[in-house]
């Protein structure tokens, strides 16, 4: 467990974006067995990527926000709702509050874009995590990359 401080920021430059993709590869592809060819998608080019970085530069976690037309397919077509996705925290950083900090940063980015709510597709084992952050599950369970998920929403 790390005792280092960390910061969450928008991944503006190519190095930050690459750090986001590295964390996603470690967590989703390496740990969870998600095929690499479906982990990265066309939405990566238009998403707002958030990055949690330890004070010494080590990336700890990432998440992304889709909004507007890019989010419409995930939010029932509601352009006032953003879509939080690809939230991943490295194994070494779990339990440090990184995931919650990333969710709040995505919500801040959504508010800055005038959105009124954020939807996400949570792996069912993570429902309690998102519920503690104010998200409410709706609709049936469904598979994504072979992993059971539920849709959730939080009004901002």
């Amino acid at each position: 467990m790390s005792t280092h401080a960390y910061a969450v920021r928008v991944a503006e430059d190519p190095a930050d974006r690459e750090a986001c993709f590295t964390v996603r590869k470690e967590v989703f592809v390496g740990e969870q067995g998600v095929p690499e060819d479906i982990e990265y998608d066309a939405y990566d080019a238009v998403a707002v990527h958030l990055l949690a970085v330890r004070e010494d530069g080590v990336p700890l976690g990432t998440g992304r926000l889709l909004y507007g037309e890019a989010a419409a397919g995930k939010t029932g077509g509601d352009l006032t709702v953003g879509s939080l996705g690809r939230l991943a925290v490295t194994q070494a950083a779990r339990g440090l509050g990184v995931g919650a900090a990333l969710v709040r940063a995505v919500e801040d980015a959504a508010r800055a874009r005038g959105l009124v709510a954020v939807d996400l597709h949570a792996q069912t084992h993570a429902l309690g995590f998102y519920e503690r952050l104010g998200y409410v599950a709706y609709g049936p369970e469904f598979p994504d990359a072979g992993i059971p998920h539920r849709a959730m929403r939080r009004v901002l």
Side-chain angles (χ1 to χ4, degrees), residues 1 14 23-24 50 70 89-90 104 150:
M1 180 154 215
V23 169
R24 285 169 46 185
L50 286 298
V89 176
T90 62
R104 294 305 186 218
R150 290 276 313 274

Side-chain angles (χ1 to χ4, degrees), residues 25 30 54-55 111 143:
K25 185 173 183 175
R54 204 167 65 186
E55 62 189 356
R111 277 188 203 91

Side-chain angles (χ1 to χ4, degrees), residues 42-93:
Y43 296 117
D44 283 325
V46 297
V48 177
H49 296 271
L50 286 298
L51 177 65
V53 181
R54 204 167 65 186
E55 62 189 356
D56 61 0
V58 173
L60 302 177
T62 188
R64 75 178 187 188
L65 171 68
L66 300 178
Y67 61 96
E69 289 299 325
K74 298 176 183 292
T75 64
D78 188 340
L79 298 182
T80 67
V81 178
S83 176
L84 184 162
R86 302 305 202 268
L87 186 75
V89 176
T90 62
Q91 201 166 22

Side-chain angles (χ1 to χ4, degrees), residues 84 120-127 130 142 147-152:
L84 184 162
L120 58 86
H121 293 164
Q123 294 181 8
T124 55
H125 73 82
L127 287 171
Y130 290 112
F142 61 92
I147 301 167
H149 284 70
R150 290 276 313 274
M152 301 186 85

